[in-house]
Amino acid sequence: MKINWKPVLLIFILFIALFLRLYGIRWGLPNKEHFYSYYADEYNVINTLQTINISKFNFTPPIPMYNPTFYYFLVGAAVKFSSMLGLITLTTSKQFYLFNVGEYAKIYLIGHFISVLMGILTMCFVYFIGKIYYSEKTGILAALFFSVVPLSVVSCHYMEPAVTVTFWITLTMFFALNIIYSGKTKWYILAGASCGLAMSSKYTAIPFVAIVTLAHILRKDKIINQNIILFYITVIIFFAFGTPYSVLDFKTFKLNIVPFFKRATIGVGSRGVNWFNPITRLLYYGLGFPILILSICGIVFALIKREKSDLLLLSWIFFYYYIQAQAGFNIVRYQNEYTPFLILLAARFVCDMKKYIQVTVIPLCFFITFVFSLSYVNMMVGPTPQDRASTWISNNIKGGSKIGVINKPYWYSPPVINMKYFALSRYSENPEYNKPDYKIVDLEYDPAKLEKEKPAYIVTSDAEFILNRPITPKTDNLIYQMFSSGKYEEIKRFETFPHFLIFSFKKKDSYPSDWEFPCPTILILKKK
């Protein structure tokens, strides 16, 4: 009897995808030591939910807000539903969460689970696109690659909109391809709904309106007809549904969206235009080297074939790549929005190889990518460098000692330095919590302040003196005073790096900014 291996393989892919995305899912959550997540942008979701008050018909987020609001409503609805089931205590009292941090952490955890769900749904539609518009084998292979690709795996551990908008974009692409090959009115309406929700999850999806328009043109119907008009109307309706303040408070909406478009052209921490940066740095880590190479080959192969489905996928890939390169972004998670289509073209290319080559290429790419993704999320299990540094400082540095930090404590700081007390001093009325264990001096990258304060210790991170430091003579002088002048010596270092069993990957200075979040290197310097 011939065995049907397809269901077994699909179940295996789903298991691998869930395992990698759920392993370490509690990383960075607030606990009794620190009130904020170790992922810097997660607090934006909490802050937005605190600002919006739907019961009072207030849908306006805080200013500045570089994202629309649908994703935040989605998280808020999930949190509200969880409270109705008794899974979480929901209150407006910040002090309650300060002294019941476990309840506060549940809000973040719910956001993490939403990302996992959206990541799995994205993988499902990657499979459907590959199966319907290329071949069954392409769909399965694309889902297999997507299940282990580091960018999706890691992003599903965070509460932020990158994974969610990627799902809506992938769903819209599925409907857009149906427009090309079917042209039924329902596909225009569905594409409009999903595109509107994508735009309302993250503004980077706005150009996808042009991709659906291109699908309509490739169908070779009239350029302007009832269907395409229905699509545009549906997009507007669903965008307004997900971001109602764009209609109800247009003045504030304009104040928020204009800076976003400036960021899209100028960049965040821009290093100038670098046409190869998304490949050599961002996709290199996000896809892993094997799948990156296959994706490039898949693009070339698609340019040769030039099927209608190829043209649609390539249009979005090239346009989005252009935005990333010219804006000079140094952020891996921004590559989520076109990753599913890179993987689809990679899988399609592999499926066109000779079978004896596939037998080697597929297992090798899967294994290497799986090991790297697992090695990376393995850092998210157990105490972080921040936690270990905090414990060491508490046990080895006398209370009341003067400790210098290069800049205001942030996600990379050990909790004992200020993260816990920063929250308590702001929100607690109890004076006992307004008194930190140590005297913290913010040097503000100023060597003169270091000379004046003469802290007994300096606690710093490579995020401060390598990744994000301002490039100025004053800053260079401070770094020299700390590391090379002989006035201070390193007495302790806390770090982690991607590792699993016998496999380990050395942490590199070329890590993009957000790739550094789980693995800051924290140094403790002592004055000689």
Side-chain angles (χ1 to χ4, degrees), residues 33 48 78 96 143 157 179-180 207 216 242 269 272 291 317 319 377 386 388 397 400 418 433 435 437-438 526 528:
E33 294 297 328
T48 301
F96 171 82
H157 288 73
I179 287 174
I180 294 177
H216 171 71
I291 294 181
I317 289 171
F319 177 81
V377 296
Q386 296 97 314
R388 289 187 283 122
I397 297 181
N418 236 2
Y433 293 103
K435 197 173 181 182
D437 296 335
Y438 302 97
K526 184 177 180 181
K528 287 186 177 180

PDB file of all heavy atoms in Angstrom, residues 33 48 78 96 143 157 179-180 207 216 242 269 272 291 317 319 377 386 388 397 400 418 433 435 437-438 526 528:
ATOM      1  N   GLU A  33      12.250  42.140  38.938  1.00  0.00           N
ATOM      2  CA  GLU A  33      13.471  42.932  38.848  1.00  0.00           C
ATOM      3  C   GLU A  33      13.362  44.104  37.869  1.00  0.00           C
ATOM      4  O   GLU A  33      14.011  45.120  38.056  1.00  0.00           O
ATOM      5  CB  GLU A  33      14.644  42.040  38.445  1.00  0.00           C
ATOM      6  CG  GLU A  33      15.016  40.999  39.469  1.00  0.00           C
ATOM      7  CD  GLU A  33      15.494  41.609  40.782  1.00  0.00           C
ATOM      8  OE1 GLU A  33      16.104  42.698  40.737  1.00  0.00           O
ATOM      9  OE2 GLU A  33      15.233  41.021  41.840  1.00  0.00           O
ATOM     10  N   THR A  48       0.285  52.901  23.903  1.00  0.00           N
ATOM     11  CA  THR A  48      -0.814  53.221  22.997  1.00  0.00           C
ATOM     12  C   THR A  48      -2.151  52.760  23.565  1.00  0.00           C
ATOM     13  O   THR A  48      -3.147  53.492  23.516  1.00  0.00           O
ATOM     14  CB  THR A  48      -0.582  52.570  21.624  1.00  0.00           C
ATOM     15  OG1 THR A  48       0.656  53.038  21.091  1.00  0.00           O
ATOM     16  CG2 THR A  48      -1.702  52.922  20.661  1.00  0.00           C
ATOM     17  N   ALA A  78      -7.500  41.086  22.355  1.00  0.00           N
ATOM     18  CA  ALA A  78      -7.054  39.800  22.910  1.00  0.00           C
ATOM     19  C   ALA A  78      -6.875  39.891  24.427  1.00  0.00           C
ATOM     20  O   ALA A  78      -7.214  38.957  25.160  1.00  0.00           O
ATOM     21  CB  ALA A  78      -5.746  39.374  22.242  1.00  0.00           C
ATOM     22  N   PHE A  96      -0.954  48.748  40.665  1.00  0.00           N
ATOM     23  CA  PHE A  96      -1.316  47.334  40.786  1.00  0.00           C
ATOM     24  C   PHE A  96      -0.324  46.468  40.038  1.00  0.00           C
ATOM     25  O   PHE A  96       0.146  45.441  40.545  1.00  0.00           O
ATOM     26  CB  PHE A  96      -2.728  47.099  40.245  1.00  0.00           C
ATOM     27  CG  PHE A  96      -3.090  45.641  40.136  1.00  0.00           C
ATOM     28  CD1 PHE A  96      -3.526  44.942  41.243  1.00  0.00           C
ATOM     29  CD2 PHE A  96      -2.949  44.962  38.927  1.00  0.00           C
ATOM     30  CE1 PHE A  96      -3.835  43.575  41.157  1.00  0.00           C
ATOM     31  CE2 PHE A  96      -3.264  43.605  38.829  1.00  0.00           C
ATOM     32  CZ  PHE A  96      -3.702  42.919  39.948  1.00  0.00           C
ATOM     33  N   ALA A 143       6.866  26.381   2.592  1.00  0.00           N
ATOM     34  CA  ALA A 143       6.420  26.325   3.989  1.00  0.00           C
ATOM     35  C   ALA A 143       7.524  25.770   4.889  1.00  0.00           C
ATOM     36  O   ALA A 143       7.723  26.246   6.013  1.00  0.00           O
ATOM     37  CB  ALA A 143       5.160  25.468   4.093  1.00  0.00           C
ATOM     38  N   HIS A 157       8.734  36.244  18.629  1.00  0.00           N
ATOM     39  CA  HIS A 157       8.959  36.323  20.068  1.00  0.00           C
ATOM     40  C   HIS A 157       8.694  37.725  20.601  1.00  0.00           C
ATOM     41  O   HIS A 157       8.897  37.972  21.804  1.00  0.00           O
ATOM     42  CB  HIS A 157      10.404  35.924  20.407  1.00  0.00           C
ATOM     43  CG  HIS A 157      10.671  34.459  20.256  1.00  0.00           C
ATOM     44  ND1 HIS A 157      10.780  33.842  19.030  1.00  0.00           N
ATOM     45  CD2 HIS A 157      10.826  33.471  21.182  1.00  0.00           C
ATOM     46  CE1 HIS A 157      11.017  32.546  19.209  1.00  0.00           C
ATOM     47  NE2 HIS A 157      11.044  32.298  20.507  1.00  0.00           N
ATOM     48  N   ILE A 179      -6.934  37.490  -8.496  1.00  0.00           N
ATOM     49  CA  ILE A 179      -7.459  38.497  -9.425  1.00  0.00           C
ATOM     50  C   ILE A 179      -6.913  38.253 -10.827  1.00  0.00           C
ATOM     51  O   ILE A 179      -7.640  38.316 -11.827  1.00  0.00           O
ATOM     52  CB  ILE A 179      -7.103  39.917  -8.937  1.00  0.00           C
ATOM     53  CG1 ILE A 179      -7.956  40.289  -7.722  1.00  0.00           C
ATOM     54  CG2 ILE A 179      -7.291  40.951 -10.054  1.00  0.00           C
ATOM     55  CD1 ILE A 179      -7.587  41.599  -7.077  1.00  0.00           C
ATOM     56  N   ILE A 180      -5.616  37.958 -10.920  1.00  0.00           N
ATOM     57  CA  ILE A 180      -4.999  37.720 -12.226  1.00  0.00           C
ATOM     58  C   ILE A 180      -5.644  36.530 -12.928  1.00  0.00           C
ATOM     59  O   ILE A 180      -6.010  36.591 -14.106  1.00  0.00           O
ATOM     60  CB  ILE A 180      -3.480  37.474 -12.092  1.00  0.00           C
ATOM     61  CG1 ILE A 180      -2.772  38.730 -11.595  1.00  0.00           C
ATOM     62  CG2 ILE A 180      -2.886  37.043 -13.431  1.00  0.00           C
ATOM     63  CD1 ILE A 180      -1.287  38.534 -11.370  1.00  0.00           C
ATOM     64  N   PRO A 207       2.055  51.015  -0.173  1.00  0.00           N
ATOM     65  CA  PRO A 207       2.368  50.794  -1.605  1.00  0.00           C
ATOM     66  C   PRO A 207       1.783  49.507  -2.171  1.00  0.00           C
ATOM     67  O   PRO A 207       1.795  49.327  -3.395  1.00  0.00           O
ATOM     68  CB  PRO A 207       3.907  50.761  -1.628  1.00  0.00           C
ATOM     69  CG  PRO A 207       4.337  51.444  -0.373  1.00  0.00           C
ATOM     70  CD  PRO A 207       3.282  51.130   0.627  1.00  0.00           C
ATOM     71  N   HIS A 216      -4.510  43.676 -11.427  1.00  0.00           N
ATOM     72  CA  HIS A 216      -5.681  44.010 -12.258  1.00  0.00           C
ATOM     73  C   HIS A 216      -5.251  44.294 -13.698  1.00  0.00           C
ATOM     74  O   HIS A 216      -5.893  43.839 -14.658  1.00  0.00           O
ATOM     75  CB  HIS A 216      -6.382  45.232 -11.656  1.00  0.00           C
ATOM     76  CG  HIS A 216      -7.455  45.812 -12.519  1.00  0.00           C
ATOM     77  ND1 HIS A 216      -8.660  45.186 -12.733  1.00  0.00           N
ATOM     78  CD2 HIS A 216      -7.486  46.970 -13.248  1.00  0.00           C
ATOM     79  CE1 HIS A 216      -9.400  45.931 -13.544  1.00  0.00           C
ATOM     80  NE2 HIS A 216      -8.708  47.013 -13.869  1.00  0.00           N
ATOM     81  N   GLY A 242      -9.651  50.198  10.815  1.00  0.00           N
ATOM     82  CA  GLY A 242      -8.506  49.851  11.658  1.00  0.00           C
ATOM     83  C   GLY A 242      -7.814  51.047  12.263  1.00  0.00           C
ATOM     84  O   GLY A 242      -7.178  50.939  13.315  1.00  0.00           O
ATOM     85  N   GLY A 269      18.369  56.184  12.104  1.00  0.00           N
ATOM     86  CA  GLY A 269      19.794  55.963  12.300  1.00  0.00           C
ATOM     87  C   GLY A 269      20.463  55.704  10.966  1.00  0.00           C
ATOM     88  O   GLY A 269      21.305  54.826  10.824  1.00  0.00           O
ATOM     89  N   GLY A 272      23.071  56.452   5.292  1.00  0.00           N
ATOM     90  CA  GLY A 272      23.102  56.839   3.890  1.00  0.00           C
ATOM     91  C   GLY A 272      22.655  55.697   3.002  1.00  0.00           C
ATOM     92  O   GLY A 272      22.426  54.580   3.456  1.00  0.00           O
ATOM     93  N   ILE A 291      19.466  30.137   2.493  1.00  0.00           N
ATOM     94  CA  ILE A 291      18.204  30.553   1.883  1.00  0.00           C
ATOM     95  C   ILE A 291      18.350  31.907   1.199  1.00  0.00           C
ATOM     96  O   ILE A 291      17.675  32.183   0.196  1.00  0.00           O
ATOM     97  CB  ILE A 291      17.077  30.554   2.941  1.00  0.00           C
ATOM     98  CG1 ILE A 291      16.821  29.113   3.400  1.00  0.00           C
ATOM     99  CG2 ILE A 291      15.792  31.174   2.398  1.00  0.00           C
ATOM    100  CD1 ILE A 291      15.725  28.958   4.436  1.00  0.00           C
ATOM    101  N   ILE A 317       8.939  42.748  -4.228  1.00  0.00           N
ATOM    102  CA  ILE A 317      10.296  42.528  -3.719  1.00  0.00           C
ATOM    103  C   ILE A 317      11.208  43.687  -4.103  1.00  0.00           C
ATOM    104  O   ILE A 317      11.911  44.256  -3.257  1.00  0.00           O
ATOM    105  CB  ILE A 317      10.874  41.197  -4.245  1.00  0.00           C
ATOM    106  CG1 ILE A 317      10.155  40.011  -3.585  1.00  0.00           C
ATOM    107  CG2 ILE A 317      12.378  41.112  -3.990  1.00  0.00           C
ATOM    108  CD1 ILE A 317      10.500  38.672  -4.197  1.00  0.00           C
ATOM    109  N   PHE A 319      10.416  46.762  -5.158  1.00  0.00           N
ATOM    110  CA  PHE A 319      10.009  48.051  -4.597  1.00  0.00           C
ATOM    111  C   PHE A 319      10.376  48.147  -3.120  1.00  0.00           C
ATOM    112  O   PHE A 319      10.943  49.141  -2.673  1.00  0.00           O
ATOM    113  CB  PHE A 319       8.501  48.270  -4.761  1.00  0.00           C
ATOM    114  CG  PHE A 319       8.026  49.551  -4.134  1.00  0.00           C
ATOM    115  CD1 PHE A 319       8.178  50.757  -4.804  1.00  0.00           C
ATOM    116  CD2 PHE A 319       7.457  49.556  -2.860  1.00  0.00           C
ATOM    117  CE1 PHE A 319       7.768  51.946  -4.206  1.00  0.00           C
ATOM    118  CE2 PHE A 319       7.047  50.740  -2.265  1.00  0.00           C
ATOM    119  CZ  PHE A 319       7.204  51.932  -2.951  1.00  0.00           C
ATOM    120  N   VAL A 377      17.306  31.496  19.232  1.00  0.00           N
ATOM    121  CA  VAL A 377      16.251  31.552  20.253  1.00  0.00           C
ATOM    122  C   VAL A 377      16.678  30.851  21.536  1.00  0.00           C
ATOM    123  O   VAL A 377      16.082  31.080  22.594  1.00  0.00           O
ATOM    124  CB  VAL A 377      14.921  30.964  19.728  1.00  0.00           C
ATOM    125  CG1 VAL A 377      14.386  31.789  18.580  1.00  0.00           C
ATOM    126  CG2 VAL A 377      15.063  29.505  19.322  1.00  0.00           C
ATOM    127  N   GLN A 386      21.594  40.925  31.111  1.00  0.00           N
ATOM    128  CA  GLN A 386      21.145  41.983  32.027  1.00  0.00           C
ATOM    129  C   GLN A 386      20.876  41.417  33.420  1.00  0.00           C
ATOM    130  O   GLN A 386      21.292  41.996  34.430  1.00  0.00           O
ATOM    131  CB  GLN A 386      19.869  42.648  31.488  1.00  0.00           C
ATOM    132  CG  GLN A 386      20.037  43.393  30.177  1.00  0.00           C
ATOM    133  CD  GLN A 386      19.617  42.564  28.990  1.00  0.00           C
ATOM    134  OE1 GLN A 386      19.992  41.393  28.894  1.00  0.00           O
ATOM    135  NE2 GLN A 386      18.867  43.149  28.074  1.00  0.00           N
ATOM    136  N   ARG A 388      21.987  38.568  34.765  1.00  0.00           N
ATOM    137  CA  ARG A 388      23.193  38.041  35.412  1.00  0.00           C
ATOM    138  C   ARG A 388      24.081  39.176  35.923  1.00  0.00           C
ATOM    139  O   ARG A 388      24.660  39.078  37.018  1.00  0.00           O
ATOM    140  CB  ARG A 388      23.960  37.152  34.424  1.00  0.00           C
ATOM    141  CG  ARG A 388      23.246  35.827  34.149  1.00  0.00           C
ATOM    142  CD  ARG A 388      24.068  34.879  33.313  1.00  0.00           C
ATOM    143  NE  ARG A 388      24.063  35.234  31.905  1.00  0.00           N
ATOM    144  CZ  ARG A 388      25.129  35.493  31.174  1.00  0.00           C
ATOM    145  NH1 ARG A 388      26.336  35.456  31.731  1.00  0.00           N
ATOM    146  NH2 ARG A 388      25.028  35.776  29.909  1.00  0.00           N
ATOM    147  N   ILE A 397      29.053  44.803  44.563  1.00  0.00           N
ATOM    148  CA  ILE A 397      29.294  46.241  44.659  1.00  0.00           C
ATOM    149  C   ILE A 397      28.516  46.779  45.863  1.00  0.00           C
ATOM    150  O   ILE A 397      27.308  46.568  45.973  1.00  0.00           O
ATOM    151  CB  ILE A 397      28.888  46.974  43.370  1.00  0.00           C
ATOM    152  CG1 ILE A 397      29.747  46.488  42.202  1.00  0.00           C
ATOM    153  CG2 ILE A 397      29.050  48.483  43.534  1.00  0.00           C
ATOM    154  CD1 ILE A 397      29.450  47.180  40.876  1.00  0.00           C
ATOM    155  N   GLY A 400      25.107  52.049  47.687  1.00  0.00           N
ATOM    156  CA  GLY A 400      25.434  53.469  47.781  1.00  0.00           C
ATOM    157  C   GLY A 400      26.608  53.882  46.925  1.00  0.00           C
ATOM    158  O   GLY A 400      26.919  55.077  46.816  1.00  0.00           O
ATOM    159  N   ASN A 418      18.834  50.785  37.190  1.00  0.00           N
ATOM    160  CA  ASN A 418      17.772  51.797  37.252  1.00  0.00           C
ATOM    161  C   ASN A 418      16.420  51.330  36.738  1.00  0.00           C
ATOM    162  O   ASN A 418      15.439  51.977  36.994  1.00  0.00           O
ATOM    163  CB  ASN A 418      18.163  53.056  36.476  1.00  0.00           C
ATOM    164  CG  ASN A 418      18.093  54.308  37.344  1.00  0.00           C
ATOM    165  OD1 ASN A 418      17.800  54.213  38.514  1.00  0.00           O
ATOM    166  ND2 ASN A 418      18.352  55.448  36.776  1.00  0.00           N
ATOM    167  N   TYR A 433      10.376  53.103  47.663  1.00  0.00           N
ATOM    168  CA  TYR A 433      10.769  52.645  46.346  1.00  0.00           C
ATOM    169  C   TYR A 433      11.389  53.752  45.497  1.00  0.00           C
ATOM    170  O   TYR A 433      11.741  53.532  44.358  1.00  0.00           O
ATOM    171  CB  TYR A 433       9.555  52.049  45.623  1.00  0.00           C
ATOM    172  CG  TYR A 433       9.076  50.779  46.269  1.00  0.00           C
ATOM    173  CD1 TYR A 433       7.952  50.785  47.077  1.00  0.00           C
ATOM    174  CD2 TYR A 433       9.772  49.592  46.094  1.00  0.00           C
ATOM    175  CE1 TYR A 433       7.512  49.621  47.689  1.00  0.00           C
ATOM    176  CE2 TYR A 433       9.345  48.422  46.709  1.00  0.00           C
ATOM    177  CZ  TYR A 433       8.211  48.441  47.499  1.00  0.00           C
ATOM    178  OH  TYR A 433       7.792  47.295  48.104  1.00  0.00           O
ATOM    179  N   LYS A 435      14.102  55.227  46.350  1.00  0.00           N
ATOM    180  CA  LYS A 435      15.501  55.283  46.748  1.00  0.00           C
ATOM    181  C   LYS A 435      16.274  54.130  46.123  1.00  0.00           C
ATOM    182  O   LYS A 435      16.150  52.988  46.550  1.00  0.00           O
ATOM    183  CB  LYS A 435      15.584  55.212  48.266  1.00  0.00           C
ATOM    184  CG  LYS A 435      16.914  55.657  48.839  1.00  0.00           C
ATOM    185  CD  LYS A 435      16.813  55.718  50.347  1.00  0.00           C
ATOM    186  CE  LYS A 435      18.129  56.187  50.942  1.00  0.00           C
ATOM    187  NZ  LYS A 435      18.064  56.202  52.418  1.00  0.00           N
ATOM    188  N   ASP A 437      19.411  51.581  45.024  1.00  0.00           N
ATOM    189  CA  ASP A 437      20.495  50.974  45.806  1.00  0.00           C
ATOM    190  C   ASP A 437      21.825  51.689  45.581  1.00  0.00           C
ATOM    191  O   ASP A 437      22.703  51.644  46.433  1.00  0.00           O
ATOM    192  CB  ASP A 437      20.661  49.499  45.413  1.00  0.00           C
ATOM    193  CG  ASP A 437      19.423  48.688  45.760  1.00  0.00           C
ATOM    194  OD1 ASP A 437      18.688  49.094  46.671  1.00  0.00           O
ATOM    195  OD2 ASP A 437      19.186  47.656  45.104  1.00  0.00           O
ATOM    196  N   TYR A 438      21.986  52.302  44.421  1.00  0.00           N
ATOM    197  CA  TYR A 438      23.262  52.929  44.069  1.00  0.00           C
ATOM    198  C   TYR A 438      23.026  54.350  43.558  1.00  0.00           C
ATOM    199  O   TYR A 438      21.925  54.692  43.111  1.00  0.00           O
ATOM    200  CB  TYR A 438      23.971  52.110  42.990  1.00  0.00           C
ATOM    201  CG  TYR A 438      24.220  50.675  43.399  1.00  0.00           C
ATOM    202  CD1 TYR A 438      23.360  49.655  43.006  1.00  0.00           C
ATOM    203  CD2 TYR A 438      25.313  50.346  44.199  1.00  0.00           C
ATOM    204  CE1 TYR A 438      23.569  48.342  43.397  1.00  0.00           C
ATOM    205  CE2 TYR A 438      25.536  49.037  44.596  1.00  0.00           C
ATOM    206  CZ  TYR A 438      24.656  48.038  44.197  1.00  0.00           C
ATOM    207  OH  TYR A 438      24.878  46.752  44.596  1.00  0.00           O
ATOM    208  N   LYS A 526      35.979  49.198  36.641  1.00  0.00           N
ATOM    209  CA  LYS A 526      36.261  49.721  37.980  1.00  0.00           C
ATOM    210  C   LYS A 526      37.385  50.742  37.899  1.00  0.00           C
ATOM    211  O   LYS A 526      38.367  50.548  37.184  1.00  0.00           O
ATOM    212  CB  LYS A 526      36.664  48.582  38.922  1.00  0.00           C
ATOM    213  CG  LYS A 526      36.883  49.031  40.365  1.00  0.00           C
ATOM    214  CD  LYS A 526      37.214  47.846  41.264  1.00  0.00           C
ATOM    215  CE  LYS A 526      37.424  48.289  42.704  1.00  0.00           C
ATOM    216  NZ  LYS A 526      37.763  47.150  43.587  1.00  0.00           N
ATOM    217  N   LYS A 528      40.645  52.573  38.767  1.00  0.00           N
ATOM    218  CA  LYS A 528      41.885  52.112  39.372  1.00  0.00           C
ATOM    219  C   LYS A 528      42.276  53.023  40.530  1.00  0.00           C
ATOM    220  O   LYS A 528      42.106  54.233  40.452  1.00  0.00           O
ATOM    221  CB  LYS A 528      43.013  52.097  38.329  1.00  0.00           C
ATOM    222  CG  LYS A 528      42.867  50.966  37.323  1.00  0.00           C
ATOM    223  CD  LYS A 528      44.097  50.920  36.419  1.00  0.00           C
ATOM    224  CE  LYS A 528      44.010  49.747  35.453  1.00  0.00           C
ATOM    225  NZ  LYS A 528      45.206  49.684  34.558  1.00  0.00           N
TER     226      LYS A 528
END
